[in-house]
Amino acid sequence: MNEFENASKSLSQRMLDVVEVVGNKVPHPVVIFLILIAIVLLLSHVLFLTGASVTYQVINPDTHEVETATTTARSLLTASGIRDMYTGLVPNFMGFTAIGLLIVAMVGVGVAEEAGLINSLIRKLVAVSPGWAMTYILAFVGILSSIAADAGYVVLIPLAGAAFMSLGRNPLAGLALGFAAVGGAFNVNLLIKPLDAVLTEITNDAIHMVDPSISISLTGGLWFSVASVLLLTVVIALVTERVIEPRLGKYEPASPGDVGETTDAMLSAKELRGLRYALVALVGVLLAFGLLTIPAAAPLRNPETGALIGNSPFMNALIVPIMFLFLATGVAYGLGAGTMRTAGEVIGAMTKAVSSLGGTILLFLVISQFIAYFNYSNIPTLAAVKMADSLKAANIGPLWLLLGFILVVTALNFIFTPAIAKWAIFAPVFVPLFITLGVDPAAILSAYRVGDSPTNALTPLNAYFALVVGFAQVYDKKAGIGTVVALLLPYSIWMTVTWMALFAGWYLLGLPWGI
């Protein structure tokens, strides 16, 4: 039995090694996306010439109206397509929200990192936490980071790598764990987040197409979401320890001065004083934003409904308090520890952090054009509707149809990543269908969450995929796309299999999906 297991592990490791080698032989990501742009240009014109089109019902997230839409392929090589590419170059780039989010976050994170706060916090966490628990803690926190929208990508992932380094473990495994947790489990949480409000509204609009008397609440799938968080925390941690770390082996820094080599968990008196100062600053930031959010008429609540959770200024721009939190605590730590004493040093840390994003910003410029051209061509919508129609026509039972639905969403997520846009197309097709089969609407939305998450960390259309490649190159100059794909593939496979099993078991047992 042991020999068989070892052989199996050896085979799986060899397969991942092949994936990494082949993936790393592809050109620079900028070149890859330029090639993809060329492919989209040609494919859009071919589909345009063949008159490819689909007619379907879609829910307008703004008006909540069910509309009949016809989408036809649009060519980027026609006069109108060329005009759109020419005039859209700058707007496409400026409208790419990942750029602003990344820069704003790094303004605060850069100060905290340069002052030494992040290093000290990680060492303190290592000192007070059992070694075995660190993997589970990082996985759990990574999953919960989706409450802050995309901030987890730029904050939690590099922190996970640094935390593994401080433990003497391979930092690439930490990055993989962070990316799997933040991206692969993005659609579930223990708390209600802004995305939940939009998905629930679209679901209710689709329900009312067949039964106006039925609606689900924001907490309609909460129990399944909580169970999913716990399950995925364990799965991510086990894959990290049983698959990823054994394959990577011991980390060998390229030089003694490489980032994060220090593993001494003992803090000096100055560092401890810096942490105390940072704690005071943290309390100050929390009090300030408490005054801006807690009172009934607080300015960061929804001005029309008074809501704080869901659609509110506070939740829609949650990166702002995160930036201030890192900035204030970083400056306070620097003053207490003596590592940052002047305004010039603070501004220098901000400048250094933003300057380090030069290569990433260039890549985002190209990615933003590819995504804009891809969406202009209507290829994602054509693919989504065709796949939905094929699944709808399948003559299978409700559970198998739900599992098939999950797999369709999982596959489509490689080329069509926006969660809201996909659900706006899928909801009016599948929600009425499943309701007529006696399926709880909360189960349908839960199935969509399962399908929409695990491949987030594998698709190059994820705006942060290239960013993670950059994080990996901090520790391994030879790391590339193949490195990240090989690291994340085991997570996506195991998360998909176990999560679908949880969903099937929940459905068969008739457990309540939420409140």
Side-chain angles (χ1 to χ4, degrees):
M1 181 68 177
N2 289 334
E3 292 180 0
F4 176 77
E5 289 179 351
N6 290 334
S8 298
K9 291 181 180 179
S10 178
L11 176 61
S12 64
Q13 301 294 10
R14 287 199 301 269
M15 291 176 62
L16 292 174
D17 290 341
V18 171
V19 170
E20 179 175 4
V21 171
V22 173
N24 285 345
K25 286 185 179 298
V26 300
H28 189 280
V30 170
V31 177
I32 291 175
F33 276 97
L34 289 175
I35 293 172
L36 290 175
I37 286 174
I39 293 173
V40 169
L41 291 176
L42 294 175
L43 182 59
S44 70
H45 196 62
V46 170
L47 292 174
F48 170 75
L49 292 176
T50 59
S53 66
V54 291
T55 300
Y56 57 98
Q57 289 185 306
V58 63
I59 294 174
N60 188 321
D62 297 322
T63 64
H64 306 294
E65 297 289 333
V66 179
E67 303 170 354
T68 299
T70 298
T71 296
T72 59
R74 302 172 69 188
S75 172
L76 287 154
L77 298 180
T78 59
S80 59
I82 292 171
R83 282 194 296 269
D84 186 85
M85 288 190 290
Y86 177 80
T87 59
L89 180 64
V90 174
N92 293 341
F93 181 55
M94 299 304 294
F96 199 53
T97 56
I99 299 168
L101 181 73
L102 180 61
I103 293 176
V104 170
M106 289 305 294
V107 166
V109 173
V111 172
E113 184 174 11
E114 189 72 13
L117 171 61
I118 292 177
N119 180 271
S120 294
L121 281 175
I122 291 173
R123 287 159 57 204
K124 184 68 174 178
L125 180 62
V126 170
V128 301
S129 302
W132 65 267
M134 183 60 67
T135 310
Y136 293 86
I137 292 172
L138 290 172
F140 183 69
V141 173
I143 294 173
L144 296 189
S145 71
S146 64
I147 191 67
D150 291 353
Y153 286 105
V154 295
V155 177
L156 191 281
I157 295 174
L159 288 183
F164 267 50
M165 173 71 87
S166 69
L167 285 168
R169 298 166 67 177
N170 198 306
L172 292 177
L175 294 178
L177 178 153
F179 198 13
V182 174
F186 190 81
N187 273 353
V188 291
N189 208 294
L190 299 183
L191 305 171
I192 302 300
K193 54 186 187 294
L195 177 64
D196 297 330
V198 181
L199 295 181
T200 301
E201 287 179 356
I202 293 174
T203 304
N204 284 329
D205 292 336
I207 294 171
H208 297 159
M209 293 172 63
V210 292
D211 192 341
S213 66
I214 300 176
S215 295
I216 61 172
S217 69
L218 275 173
T219 56
L222 182 61
W223 300 140
F224 181 74
S225 182
V226 170
S228 298
V229 170
L230 300 178
L231 170 71
L232 296 178
T233 297
V234 175
V235 170
I236 291 170
L238 289 178
V239 170
T240 302
E241 295 177 345
R242 305 288 178 84
V243 179
I244 305 302
E245 289 190 283
R247 174 174 173 268
L248 290 174
K250 182 176 175 58
Y251 177 62
E252 299 291 344
S255 65
D258 272 6
V259 177
E261 189 182 355
T262 301
T263 58
D264 182 11
M266 297 297 294
L267 297 175
S268 67
K270 287 185 177 180
E271 289 172 326
L272 290 172
R273 184 171 65 245
L275 288 179
R276 289 194 295 270
Y277 279 38
L279 178 60
V280 173
L282 171 63
V283 173
V285 171
L286 294 178
L287 286 175
F289 280 96
L291 292 174
L292 294 172
T293 56
I294 295 176
L300 296 186
R301 287 180 174 270
N302 187 306
E304 297 178 358
T305 65
L308 178 62
I309 303 300
N311 183 23
S312 70
F314 177 71
M315 295 301 295
N316 292 338
L318 203 53
I319 191 63
V320 176
I322 290 174
M323 184 270 287
F324 276 109
L325 186 148
F326 277 101
L327 178 61
T329 55
V331 171
Y333 177 89
L335 292 173
T339 57
M340 192 173 285
R341 299 179 181 276
T342 67
E345 290 176 319
V346 174
I347 294 174
M350 295 179 182
T351 303
K352 179 180 177 181
V354 175
S355 298
S356 68
L357 301 175
T360 302
I361 291 175
L362 171 62
L363 181 58
F364 280 1
L365 171 62
V366 180
I367 292 175
S368 65
Q369 306 310 314
F370 169 74
I371 292 176
Y373 299 164
F374 198 45
N375 290 335
Y376 177 90
S377 70
N378 286 330
I379 293 174
T381 303
L382 294 173
V385 175
K386 290 293 185 182
M387 294 174 73
D389 288 344
S390 298
L391 183 61
K392 182 179 179 181
N395 186 21
I396 54 179
L399 176 57
W400 290 108
L401 190 59
L402 283 166
L403 295 178
F405 171 63
I406 291 173
L407 292 176
V408 166
V409 176
T410 299
L412 188 63
N413 200 45
F414 279 101
I415 63 168
F416 193 14
T417 58
I420 294 174
K422 279 202 303 291
W423 190 229
I425 294 174
F426 278 159
V429 175
F430 287 104
V431 171
L433 170 64
F434 282 120
I435 288 178
T436 60
L437 295 175
V439 177
D440 186 337
I444 309 168
L445 181 55
S446 296
Y448 178 72
R449 295 181 190 277
V450 174
D452 187 55
S453 291
T455 49
N456 278 335
L458 277 181
T459 173
L461 292 187
N462 183 332
Y464 299 101
F465 183 92
L467 184 66
V468 176
V469 174
F471 290 152
Q473 290 173 345
V474 172
Y475 301 104
D476 181 0
K477 298 298 187 293
K478 298 179 181 179
I481 291 176
T483 303
V484 176
V485 170
L487 288 173
L488 273 299
L489 187 58
Y491 290 105
S492 292
I493 293 173
W494 280 105
M495 289 172 71
T496 299
V497 171
T498 56
W499 207 353
M500 288 181 66
L502 174 67
F503 179 88
W506 204 281
Y507 180 88
L508 291 173
L509 292 173
L511 299 175
W513 297 95
I515 302 174

